[in-house]
Amino acid sequence: MLFNSIQFAVFLPIVFALYWIIPYKFRWILLLAASYWFYMSWKPEYVVLILTTTIISYTSALLMENKPKKIKKYILTASAVICLGILFFFKYFNFFAEFLCGIIGIFTRKPDPIVLNLILPVGISFYTFQTLSYVIDVYKGTSQAERHLGKYAAFISFFPQLVAGPIERTNNLLPQIKAHHVFDYDKATYGLKIMAWGFFKKIAVADVLSLYTGQVFGTPEKYRGFSLVLAALMFTLQIYCDFSGYSDIAVGTAKLFGIDLMTNFKSPYFSQSIHDFWNRWHISLSTWFRDYVYIPLGGNRCSKFRHAFNLIVTFLVSGLWHGANYTFIIWGGIHGLGQTLENILISKENRESIGYVKWLRIFGVFTFSTIAWIFFASSSLNDALYIITHLFDGVSDFAGYLKSGFDDLNFKNQLLLVSITVLGFFDYYSLKKDVISVISSKKKNIRWAAYVLLVLWTLFNIQTTESDESMAFIYFQF
C-alpha cells in the first residue's frame, strides 16, 4: 500500500477514527493489526519475515536479562546472525553468489552462479535494523527488554515508518506505543500540514522529475553532454524529494496518533561540508551507522589512519545496505573518501562560512553529492562510467551544448521549475525557522490560501499515466 494511493486515503481515516474511539488499552492491538494489514497489502506471505525477526529479537532480549556478559554476547550474536541472515538471503544472496563465482573464475573456469528468483521484501532493511538496534541496546543496558510481545511487535511494525523509516530507536518509539495518548488537535493538524508538504515533494517534484531521469538512466547510451548533466541534477532533487517526502508523510501520519517520530532530513542540500550533509541526510540511518558501526570500530578516538579506515568502512557498509550492486558500494565509498579528505584538509572550525564563501561551499557539496548520485542512480557500473565520461561532450559549443540538453530531454515544464523554486525557499528558511509553524501563525485568509494552493498544486501535478510501480517511493527497494 502506497502513501500516494486511493487505498491509503481510505485506510488512514478508518484507522485514525478507530484509534481515538476505542479504549486506550486496546489501541496497541489496532496499531498492530493495521500495521500488518498495511504490510500484507504488498505481498501477504512475506509477513512471516517481519514476524520472525520480531519474535527472534523479542526472545533474545528477554533471554539476556540477568545473564553474564559472555552469555549475553552469545545471545546477541545468535540474534544478529539470524536476522541478518534473513536479510542476506533475500537481498544479497545472488550478488554474493556472482561475486564468489567471479573470484573463482580468476584462478580457474568460472562456474555458473546459483541464482534465486526472489522478490525483495519491502522494508526488510529498515525493520531488520530496528530490531537489531533494540537487541543491541538491551545488551548494552541502555534499554530494558520489553515483556509485552504485542506492544513490541507494534513498535517494530508501526505502519507509518515500517517500509522506509525513519529507523526508530527503542527509547523513543516504544514508550510512545505504550503511552496513553489524549487527542491533541494542534498536533494532529500540524501532522496533516507536514503530510501535505511531503505529498507536494513526492508528487509535484519527485514524480515529475522521474519522467526525465527514468529515460536517461534507463538508457544512458542514447544521451550525451548536457542532457546527462540535467539528468544527474534532476535525480539529485528527485531522490531527495522522494525520500524526504516519504519521511514527512510518515512523521505527519504518526502525529495523527499522538506519536512523534524523529526528523529524518534537515535541508541537506544547503550543507557546507560533507560531514554536515550526513548530519542532515537520512539522519536515522546515518546515526544508526554512527552508533552501531563507526563508534564500535573506534570512531575518531584513534590514530588518523584508523579514523580514516573507520569512516570508509562505515560508508562502504552503508552503501551495501542500500542495495546489492557495486554502484551502491562505490557511492558509499565516494562519500567515505570525501569525508576523510575533508577531515584532513579542513579543520572543524573552518567548515562553515558566511557570505559568498558559504554559497561556494554549498555549491561544492551539492556538486559532490550530484556526482556521487550518478553511481546510485545507475543500474550498472558501466552505465555510471559512461555518464561521467560523457557529461561534457560538445561543451566547446556552449550555447549548442545547453540547447541540445534541453532538446534531448524535451524539457518544457515551467511548472516543475516553480515547484523546485518553492522547495528551495522552503528548505532554506527551514534552516532557522519552522516554516509550517510560521505559516500557521499568519492570518486565517493568508494561511488557508497557502494550504489550498499547496493541495491544488499537488493534485494538478499528479501523473495520471503512471503505474503503481513508478508511483512507488525509491527507498522501497532498500
Side-chain angles (χ1 to χ4, degrees):
M1 186 186 303
L2 300 174
F3 282 161
N4 50 331
S5 67
I6 298 298
Q7 294 96 321
F8 187 74
V10 175
F11 168 84
L12 181 59
I14 293 174
V15 178
F16 171 77
L18 290 175
Y19 181 84
W20 293 111
I21 290 172
I22 65 177
Y24 150 70
K25 62 181 180 180
F26 298 122
R27 287 177 182 170
W28 70 267
I29 300 175
L30 174 66
L31 287 181
L32 181 60
S35 297
Y36 271 65
W37 178 273
F38 180 86
Y39 192 79
M40 291 172 67
S41 67
W42 171 72
K43 197 169 180 63
E45 56 268 36
Y46 276 10
V47 75
V48 70
L49 300 179
I50 188 173
L51 185 60
T52 299
T53 56
T54 298
I55 293 174
I56 292 296
S57 56
Y58 168 80
T59 304
S60 299
L62 288 179
L63 290 175
M64 286 183 190
E65 287 190 326
N66 302 317
K67 296 293 193 303
K69 187 173 182 179
K70 187 176 181 180
I71 300 299
K72 290 168 67 175
K73 185 175 290 187
Y74 287 144
I75 296 171
L76 171 63
T77 302
S79 177
V81 167
I82 295 172
C83 292
L84 289 175
I86 294 172
L87 176 64
F88 174 87
F89 180 76
F90 283 92
K91 189 170 183 176
Y92 301 106
F93 182 88
N94 290 344
F95 174 75
F96 276 97
E98 177 65 35
F99 174 77
L100 288 175
C101 289
I103 295 297
I104 295 172
I106 296 175
F107 304 100
T108 183
R109 183 171 178 268
K110 180 182 177 181
D112 293 328
I114 299 173
V115 178
L116 302 178
N117 187 22
L118 298 172
I119 298 175
L120 179 65
V122 66
I124 188 170
S125 298
F126 289 89
Y127 65 71
T128 298
F129 269 34
Q130 192 153 310
T131 57
L132 280 177
S133 65
Y134 166 74
V135 177
I136 294 171
D137 288 346
V138 172
Y139 167 79
K140 293 163 62 176
T142 56
S143 296
Q144 296 295 315
E146 173 57 44
R147 310 197 73 81
H148 195 294
L149 175 59
K151 292 179 181 179
Y152 173 71
F155 152 67
I156 295 298
S157 64
F158 186 48
F159 74 88
Q161 48 90 227
L162 172 58
V163 294
I167 302 171
E168 277 294 344
R169 301 298 180 87
T170 308
N171 291 336
N172 180 45
L173 182 55
L174 183 54
Q176 294 188 80
I177 295 291
K178 298 162 63 177
H180 183 188
H181 297 286
V182 177
F183 181 72
D184 186 330
Y185 174 82
D186 290 335
K187 176 179 278 192
T189 54
Y190 185 79
L192 289 173
K193 294 166 190 174
I194 297 176
M195 291 177 67
W197 181 243
F199 280 117
F200 166 81
K201 287 197 282 189
K202 168 60 176 171
I203 295 171
V205 183
D207 285 353
V208 179
L209 286 169
S210 70
L211 301 177
Y212 302 99
T213 59
Q215 58 180 316
V216 175
F217 283 99
T219 54
E221 66 279 359
K222 294 182 179 179
Y223 300 89
R224 303 170 69 87
F226 192 61
S227 57
L228 297 176
V229 175
L230 276 177
L233 291 171
M234 287 178 173
F235 184 80
T236 298
L237 296 176
Q238 178 196 351
I239 193 166
Y240 168 61
C241 289
D242 192 280
F243 192 21
S244 68
Y246 178 95
S247 294
D248 289 340
I249 298 169
V251 170
T253 301
K255 287 187 183 298
L256 296 178
F257 300 93
I259 293 173
D260 294 315
L261 299 180
M262 70 179 296
T263 300
N264 216 15
F265 291 87
K266 293 181 180 179
S267 305
Y269 290 145
F270 285 101
S271 303
Q272 294 189 49
S273 67
I274 302 169
H275 179 269
D276 190 34
F277 176 84
W278 282 101
N279 285 334
R280 298 172 179 273
W281 177 276
H282 199 176
I283 299 169
S284 65
L285 182 67
S286 60
T287 54
W288 198 99
F289 276 108
R290 179 198 66 197
D291 295 343
Y292 301 114
V293 179
Y294 174 68
I295 291 177
L297 284 173
N300 60 1
R301 296 184 177 182
C302 50
S303 67
K304 290 183 179 180
F305 177 81
R306 178 68 190 196
H307 181 209
F309 174 82
N310 295 342
L311 265 177
I312 292 174
V313 167
T314 300
F315 275 101
L316 287 174
V317 175
S318 172
L320 184 61
W321 177 90
H322 283 82
N325 196 319
Y326 293 110
T327 55
F328 294 115
I329 298 173
I330 291 173
W331 168 78
I334 289 172
H335 276 278
L337 182 61
Q339 193 167 149
T340 299
L341 293 174
E342 183 179 81
N343 289 340
I344 295 171
L345 300 174
I346 306 173
S347 65
K348 293 181 180 180
E349 296 77 16
N350 294 322
R351 288 182 186 170
E352 290 193 6
S353 302
I354 58 175
Y356 75 92
V357 177
K358 165 188 171 181
W359 289 104
L360 285 175
R361 289 188 168 181
I362 290 172
F363 176 77
V365 174
F366 182 83
T367 302
F368 175 86
S369 62
T370 298
I371 294 171
W373 284 129
I374 291 173
F375 288 91
F376 193 98
S378 299
S379 58
S380 70
L381 183 57
N382 286 337
D383 283 355
L385 293 176
Y386 172 86
I387 292 171
I388 288 176
T389 54
H390 290 80
L391 288 172
F392 302 108
D393 287 1
V395 73
S396 56
D397 176 16
F398 193 65
Y401 173 76
L402 296 179
K403 183 177 184 301
S404 64
F406 287 105
D407 289 344
D408 289 346
L409 295 185
N410 193 27
F411 183 83
K412 300 175 182 178
N413 195 330
Q414 288 79 17
L415 297 181
L416 174 59
L417 297 178
V418 173
S419 298
I420 293 172
T421 301
V422 172
L423 171 72
F425 277 108
F426 185 99
D427 271 18
Y428 180 72
Y429 286 106
S430 292
L431 294 172
K432 294 184 178 180
K433 299 179 180 179
D434 183 342
V435 177
I436 293 177
S437 293
V438 171
I439 295 174
S440 300
S441 67
K442 300 298 181 182
K443 293 181 180 179
K444 185 177 181 179
N445 57 336
I446 295 176
R447 65 175 185 267
W448 275 101
Y451 302 152
V452 172
L453 181 60
L454 179 67
V455 172
L456 291 178
W457 189 268
T458 301
L459 293 174
F460 182 77
N461 280 278
I462 290 178
Q463 305 301 307
T464 55
T465 59
E466 285 194 299
S467 65
D468 286 345
E469 183 178 351
S470 61
M471 287 171 60
F473 292 82
I474 293 174
Y475 265 69
F476 277 23
Q477 64 185 294
F478 307 135

